[in-house]
Amino acid sequence: LRRQRQMCIRDRVVSDSGVTLYTDTLKWDSKKEIIYTASPIVLTTEKNDTLYGSGFESDVGLNHWKILYPSGVTSQKNG
C-alpha cells in the first residue's frame, strides 16, 4: 500500500509573485510538488488581469500555472 501526502485548501491562495487564486477546493500533491483543482477558478495576475476557468494546475509558487478550460479578460495584446 502506497501512502500519498496530500493537502486540501479552500477559498483563496496568494503567492509571493502577486498571483491570487480563488477556488472552492485546491489540492496539493507533495510528491509531485504541484497544486491542482478540477473546480471553477478565478485567477488575478500581478498585472491585474482576471482569468476564469475550470481545472487548474501549478507549481506550489504559482510561477508556472495553466488553466485547463480558460476564459476571461486580459490587457495583453496579440502579436
Side-chain angles (χ1 to χ4, degrees):
L1 184 63
R2 196 171 99 188
R3 257 181 104 192
Q4 292 183 354
R5 295 176 56 106
Q6 295 184 338
M7 178 184 290
C8 184
I9 301 166
R10 299 186 191 280
D11 192 27
R12 177 178 72 161
V13 176
V14 180
S15 77
D16 291 340
S17 67
V19 173
T20 304
L21 175 67
Y22 300 89
T23 186
D24 291 338
T25 304
L26 185 67
K27 296 181 180 180
W28 171 58
D29 186 323
S30 65
K31 188 167 185 143
K32 294 180 182 179
E33 296 186 0
I34 62 168
I35 55 176
Y36 63 95
T37 186
S39 298
I41 64 105
V42 177
L43 184 129
T44 304
T45 69
E46 65 280 0
K47 295 180 181 179
N48 287 325
D49 292 329
T50 301
L51 305 172
Y52 303 87
S54 292
F56 179 84
E57 289 181 12
S58 178
D59 63 291
V60 293
L62 290 173
N63 294 308
H64 304 284
W65 49 264
K66 66 179 174 180
I67 301 171
L68 302 180
Y69 301 99
S71 63
V73 177
T74 180
S75 62
Q76 295 179 355
K77 298 182 193 285
N78 291 335

